[in-house]
Structures are given as C-alpha cells and as structure tokens.
Coordinates of all heavy atoms in Angstrom, one line a residue:
I1 N 74.0 -52.0 -31.3 CA 74.0 -52.3 -32.8 C 73.4 -51.1 -33.6 O 73.5 -51.1 -34.8 CB 73.2 -53.6 -33.1 CG1 71.7 -53.4 -32.8 CG2 73.8 -54.8 -32.4 CD1 70.8 -54.6 -33.3
L2 N 72.8 -50.1 -32.9 CA 72.2 -49.0 -33.6 C 73.1 -47.8 -33.8 O 73.8 -47.4 -32.8 CB 70.9 -48.6 -32.9 CG 69.8 -49.6 -32.8 CD1 68.8 -49.2 -31.7 CD2 69.0 -49.6 -34.1
P3 N 73.3 -47.3 -35.0 CA 74.1 -46.1 -35.2 C 73.5 -44.9 -34.5 O 72.3 -44.9 -34.2 CB 74.0 -45.8 -36.7 CG 73.5 -47.1 -37.3 CD 72.7 -47.8 -36.3
Y4 N 74.2 -43.9 -34.2 CA 73.8 -42.7 -33.4 C 72.5 -42.1 -34.0 O 71.6 -41.8 -33.2 CB 74.8 -41.7 -33.3 CG 74.3 -40.5 -32.5 CD1 74.4 -40.5 -31.1 CD2 73.7 -39.4 -33.1 CE1 73.9 -39.4 -30.3 CE2 73.2 -38.3 -32.3 CZ 73.3 -38.4 -30.9 OH 72.8 -37.3 -30.2
S5 N 72.5 -41.9 -35.3 CA 71.4 -41.2 -35.9 C 70.0 -41.8 -35.7 O 69.0 -41.2 -35.7 CB 71.6 -41.0 -37.4 OG 71.7 -42.2 -38.1
I6 N 70.0 -43.2 -35.5 CA 68.7 -43.9 -35.3 C 68.7 -44.6 -34.0 O 67.8 -45.4 -33.8 CB 68.4 -44.9 -36.5 CG1 69.6 -45.9 -36.6 CG2 68.2 -44.1 -37.8 CD1 69.3 -47.1 -37.6
R7 N 69.6 -44.3 -33.1 CA 69.7 -45.1 -31.9 C 68.4 -44.8 -31.0 O 67.8 -45.8 -30.5 CB 71.0 -44.7 -31.1 CG 71.2 -45.5 -29.8 CD 72.6 -45.3 -29.3 NE 73.6 -45.9 -30.2 CZ 74.8 -45.3 -30.5 NH1 75.1 -44.2 -29.9 NH2 75.6 -45.9 -31.3
A8 N 68.0 -43.6 -30.8 CA 66.9 -43.3 -30.0 C 65.6 -43.9 -30.6 O 64.8 -44.4 -29.9 CB 66.7 -41.8 -29.8
K9 N 65.5 -43.7 -31.9 CA 64.3 -44.3 -32.6 C 64.3 -45.8 -32.6 O 63.2 -46.4 -32.4 CB 64.2 -43.7 -34.0 CG 63.9 -42.2 -34.1 CD 63.8 -41.8 -35.5 CE 63.3 -40.3 -35.6 NZ 64.2 -39.4 -34.9
G10 N 65.4 -46.4 -32.8 CA 65.5 -47.9 -32.8 C 65.2 -48.4 -31.4 O 64.5 -49.4 -31.3
M11 N 65.7 -47.7 -30.4 CA 65.3 -48.2 -29.0 C 63.8 -48.0 -28.7 O 63.2 -48.7 -27.9 CB 66.2 -47.5 -28.0 CG 67.6 -48.0 -28.0 SD 67.8 -49.8 -27.8 CE 67.2 -50.1 -26.2
T12 N 63.3 -46.9 -29.3 CA 61.8 -46.7 -29.1 C 61.0 -47.9 -29.7 O 60.0 -48.3 -29.2 CB 61.4 -45.4 -29.8 OG1 62.1 -44.3 -29.2 CG2 59.9 -45.1 -29.7
V13 N 61.5 -48.4 -30.9 CA 60.9 -49.6 -31.4 C 61.0 -50.8 -30.4 O 60.0 -51.5 -30.3 CB 61.5 -50.0 -32.8 CG1 61.0 -51.4 -33.3 CG2 61.3 -48.9 -33.8
V14 N 62.1 -50.9 -29.8 CA 62.3 -52.0 -28.8 C 61.3 -51.8 -27.7 O 60.6 -52.8 -27.3 CB 63.7 -52.0 -28.2 CG1 63.9 -53.0 -27.1 CG2 64.8 -52.3 -29.3
W15 N 61.2 -50.6 -27.1 CA 60.3 -50.3 -26.0 C 58.8 -50.5 -26.4 O 58.0 -51.0 -25.7 CB 60.5 -48.9 -25.5 CG 61.8 -48.6 -25.0 CD1 62.6 -47.5 -25.3 CD2 62.6 -49.4 -24.1 NE1 63.8 -47.6 -24.7 CE2 63.9 -48.7 -23.9 CE3 62.5 -50.6 -23.4 CZ2 64.9 -49.2 -23.1 CZ3 63.5 -51.1 -22.6 CH2 64.7 -50.4 -22.5
F16 N 58.5 -50.1 -27.7 CA 57.1 -50.3 -28.2 C 56.8 -51.8 -28.2 O 55.7 -52.2 -27.7 CB 57.0 -49.8 -29.6 CG 55.7 -50.1 -30.2 CD1 54.5 -49.4 -29.9 CD2 55.5 -51.2 -31.1 CE1 53.3 -49.7 -30.5 CE2 54.3 -51.5 -31.7 CZ 53.2 -50.7 -31.4
C17 N 57.7 -52.6 -28.7 CA 57.4 -54.1 -28.8 C 57.3 -54.7 -27.4 O 56.5 -55.6 -27.1 CB 58.6 -54.8 -29.6 SG 58.5 -54.4 -31.3
I18 N 58.2 -54.2 -26.4 CA 58.1 -54.7 -25.1 C 56.8 -54.3 -24.4 O 56.1 -55.1 -23.8 CB 59.3 -54.1 -24.2 CG1 60.6 -54.7 -24.6 CG2 59.1 -54.3 -22.7 CD1 61.8 -54.0 -24.0
D19 N 56.4 -53.0 -24.6 CA 55.1 -52.6 -24.0 C 53.9 -53.2 -24.6 O 52.9 -53.6 -23.9 CB 55.0 -51.0 -24.1 CG 56.1 -50.3 -23.2 OD1 56.4 -50.9 -22.1 OD2 56.5 -49.2 -23.6
A20 N 54.0 -53.4 -25.9 CA 52.8 -54.1 -26.6 C 52.7 -55.5 -26.1 O 51.6 -56.0 -25.8 CB 53.0 -54.0 -28.1
A21 N 53.9 -56.2 -26.0 CA 53.8 -57.6 -25.5 C 53.4 -57.6 -24.0 O 52.6 -58.5 -23.7 CB 55.2 -58.2 -25.7
L22 N 53.9 -56.7 -23.2 CA 53.5 -56.6 -21.8 C 52.0 -56.4 -21.7 O 51.3 -57.0 -20.9 CB 54.2 -55.5 -21.1 CG 55.6 -55.9 -20.6 CD1 56.3 -54.6 -20.1 CD2 55.6 -56.9 -19.6
F23 N 51.4 -55.5 -22.5 CA 50.0 -55.2 -22.4 C 49.2 -56.4 -22.8 O 48.2 -56.8 -22.1 CB 49.6 -54.0 -23.3 CG 48.2 -53.7 -23.3 CD1 47.6 -52.9 -22.3 CD2 47.3 -54.1 -24.3 CE1 46.3 -52.6 -22.2 CE2 46.0 -53.8 -24.3 CZ 45.4 -53.1 -23.3
F24 N 49.6 -57.1 -23.8 CA 48.9 -58.3 -24.2 C 49.0 -59.3 -23.1 O 48.0 -60.0 -22.7 CB 49.5 -58.9 -25.5 CG 49.0 -60.2 -25.9 CD1 47.8 -60.3 -26.7 CD2 49.6 -61.4 -25.5 CE1 47.3 -61.5 -27.1 CE2 49.0 -62.6 -25.9 CZ 47.9 -62.7 -26.7
N25 N 50.2 -59.6 -22.6 CA 50.4 -60.5 -21.5 C 49.6 -60.2 -20.3 O 48.9 -61.1 -19.7 CB 51.9 -60.6 -21.2 CG 52.7 -61.5 -22.1 OD1 52.1 -62.2 -22.9 ND2 54.0 -61.4 -22.1
Q26 N 49.7 -59.0 -19.8 CA 49.1 -58.6 -18.6 C 47.6 -58.6 -18.6 O 46.9 -58.9 -17.6 CB 49.6 -57.2 -18.1 CG 51.1 -57.3 -17.8 CD 51.7 -55.9 -17.8 OE1 51.1 -54.9 -18.2 NE2 53.0 -55.8 -17.4
Y27 N 47.0 -58.4 -19.8 CA 45.6 -58.3 -20.0 C 45.0 -59.7 -20.3 O 44.0 -60.1 -19.8 CB 45.2 -57.3 -21.1 CG 43.7 -57.1 -21.1 CD1 43.0 -56.4 -20.1 CD2 42.9 -57.6 -22.2 CE1 41.7 -56.2 -20.1 CE2 41.5 -57.3 -22.2 CZ 40.9 -56.7 -21.1 OH 39.6 -56.5 -21.2
I28 N 45.7 -60.5 -21.2 CA 45.2 -61.8 -21.6 C 45.6 -62.9 -20.6 O 44.8 -63.8 -20.4 CB 45.8 -62.1 -23.0 CG1 45.3 -61.0 -24.0 CG2 45.4 -63.5 -23.5 CD1 43.8 -61.0 -24.2
N29 N 46.8 -62.8 -20.0 CA 47.2 -64.0 -19.2 C 46.3 -64.4 -18.1 O 46.0 -65.6 -18.0 CB 48.6 -63.7 -18.6 CG 49.7 -63.9 -19.6 OD1 49.6 -64.5 -20.6 ND2 50.9 -63.4 -19.3
P30 N 45.8 -63.4 -17.3 CA 44.8 -63.8 -16.2 C 43.5 -64.4 -16.8 O 43.0 -65.4 -16.2 CB 44.6 -62.5 -15.4 CG 44.8 -61.4 -16.4 CD 46.0 -61.9 -17.3
I31 N 43.1 -63.9 -17.9 CA 41.9 -64.5 -18.5 C 42.1 -65.9 -19.0 O 41.3 -66.8 -18.8 CB 41.4 -63.6 -19.7 CG1 41.1 -62.1 -19.2 CG2 40.2 -64.2 -20.4 CD1 40.8 -61.1 -20.3
A32 N 43.3 -66.1 -19.7 CA 43.6 -67.4 -20.2 C 43.8 -68.4 -19.1 O 43.4 -69.6 -19.2 CB 44.8 -67.3 -21.1
L33 N 44.5 -68.0 -18.1 CA 44.7 -68.9 -16.9 C 43.4 -69.3 -16.2 O 43.3 -70.4 -15.8 CB 45.7 -68.2 -15.9 CG 47.2 -68.0 -16.4 CD1 47.9 -67.2 -15.4 CD2 47.8 -69.4 -16.5
D34 N 42.5 -68.3 -16.1 CA 41.2 -68.6 -15.5 C 40.4 -69.6 -16.3 O 39.7 -70.5 -15.8 CB 40.4 -67.4 -15.3 CG 40.9 -66.5 -14.1 OD1 41.6 -67.1 -13.3 OD2 40.5 -65.3 -14.1
N35 N 40.5 -69.6 -17.7 CA 39.7 -70.4 -18.6 C 40.3 -71.7 -19.0 O 39.5 -72.7 -19.1 CB 39.3 -69.5 -19.8 CG 38.3 -68.5 -19.4 OD1 37.1 -68.7 -19.3 ND2 38.7 -67.2 -19.2
I36 N 41.6 -71.7 -19.3 CA 42.1 -73.0 -19.9 C 43.3 -73.5 -19.0 O 43.9 -74.5 -19.4 CB 42.6 -72.8 -21.3 CG1 43.6 -71.7 -21.5 CG2 41.4 -72.6 -22.2 CD1 44.1 -71.6 -22.9
G37 N 43.7 -72.8 -18.0 CA 44.7 -73.2 -17.1 C 46.1 -73.6 -17.8 O 46.6 -72.9 -18.6
W38 N 46.6 -74.8 -17.4 CA 47.9 -75.2 -17.9 C 48.0 -75.3 -19.4 O 49.1 -75.2 -20.0 CB 48.3 -76.5 -17.3 CG 47.5 -77.7 -17.7 CD1 46.4 -78.2 -17.0 CD2 47.7 -78.5 -18.8 NE1 45.9 -79.3 -17.7 CE2 46.7 -79.5 -18.8 CE3 48.6 -78.5 -19.9 CZ2 46.6 -80.5 -19.8 CZ3 48.5 -79.5 -20.9 CH2 47.5 -80.5 -20.8
K39 N 46.9 -75.6 -20.1 CA 46.9 -75.7 -21.6 C 47.4 -74.4 -22.3 O 47.9 -74.5 -23.4 CB 45.5 -76.1 -22.1 CG 44.9 -77.4 -21.6 CD 43.5 -77.7 -22.1 CE 43.0 -79.0 -21.6 NZ 42.7 -78.9 -20.1
Y40 N 47.3 -73.3 -21.6 CA 47.8 -72.1 -22.1 C 49.3 -72.1 -22.3 O 49.8 -71.4 -23.2 CB 47.3 -70.9 -21.2 CG 47.7 -69.5 -21.7 CD1 47.5 -69.1 -23.0 CD2 48.3 -68.6 -20.8 CE1 47.8 -67.8 -23.4 CE2 48.7 -67.3 -21.2 CZ 48.4 -67.0 -22.5 OH 48.7 -65.7 -22.9
Y41 N 50.0 -72.9 -21.5 CA 51.4 -73.0 -21.6 C 51.9 -73.6 -22.9 O 53.0 -73.3 -23.3 CB 52.0 -73.9 -20.5 CG 51.6 -73.5 -19.0 CD1 51.7 -74.4 -18.0 CD2 51.1 -72.2 -18.8 CE1 51.4 -74.0 -16.7 CE2 50.8 -71.8 -17.5 CZ 50.9 -72.7 -16.4 OH 50.6 -72.4 -15.2
I42 N 51.0 -74.4 -23.6 CA 51.4 -75.0 -24.8 C 51.8 -73.9 -25.9 O 52.7 -74.1 -26.7 CB 50.3 -75.9 -25.4 CG1 50.1 -77.0 -24.4 CG2 50.6 -76.4 -26.8 CD1 48.9 -77.9 -24.7
F43 N 51.1 -72.8 -25.9 CA 51.3 -71.7 -26.8 C 52.8 -71.2 -26.6 O 53.5 -71.0 -27.6 CB 50.4 -70.5 -26.5 CG 50.8 -69.2 -27.2 CD1 50.7 -69.0 -28.5 CD2 51.4 -68.2 -26.4 CE1 51.2 -67.8 -29.1 CE2 51.9 -67.1 -26.9 CZ 51.7 -66.8 -28.3
Y44 N 53.2 -71.1 -25.4 CA 54.6 -70.6 -25.2 C 55.7 -71.6 -25.6 O 56.8 -71.3 -26.0 CB 54.8 -70.2 -23.7 CG 54.0 -68.9 -23.4 CD1 52.9 -68.9 -22.5 CD2 54.5 -67.7 -23.8 CE1 52.2 -67.8 -22.2 CE2 53.8 -66.5 -23.6 CZ 52.7 -66.5 -22.8 OH 52.0 -65.4 -22.5

C-alpha cells in the first residue's frame, strides 16, 4: 500500500511498532504472568 518514495520509511514505521510492542511484551509479560497469572489475559 506504500508508494515507492515512502515505502522504506513506511515499513520502518511498521518495524518500529513491531519492535516496540515486542519489547513491551517480552519485558512485561513474564512479570505480569508471575504476579497476576491468568487475569493478565483479560487485557488482551
């Protein structure tokens, strides 16, 4: 869906959002699972 002139930059936005979400998930998930267990699933 991205035109050539902004394709690389647009995909960089996609990767940024993926990596930011991954960092949050990978750092927060084990802490949340240890502390509140299945109740953490309600957020999702």
Side-chain angles (χ1 to χ4, degrees):
I1 66 173
L2 293 162
Y4 179 87
S5 62
I6 59 171
R7 187 167 293 143
K9 291 182 173 63
M11 288 308 295
T12 299
V13 171
V14 175
W15 301 131
F16 172 81
C17 293
I18 290 173
D19 291 329
L22 278 172
F23 179 78
F24 175 88
N25 279 348
Q26 292 161 353
Y27 190 68
I28 298 299
N29 281 346
I31 299 174
L33 289 171
D34 284 343
N35 287 278
I36 59 176
W38 67 266
K39 296 180 182 68
Y40 182 47
Y41 303 163
I42 297 173
F43 164 76
Y44 287 110

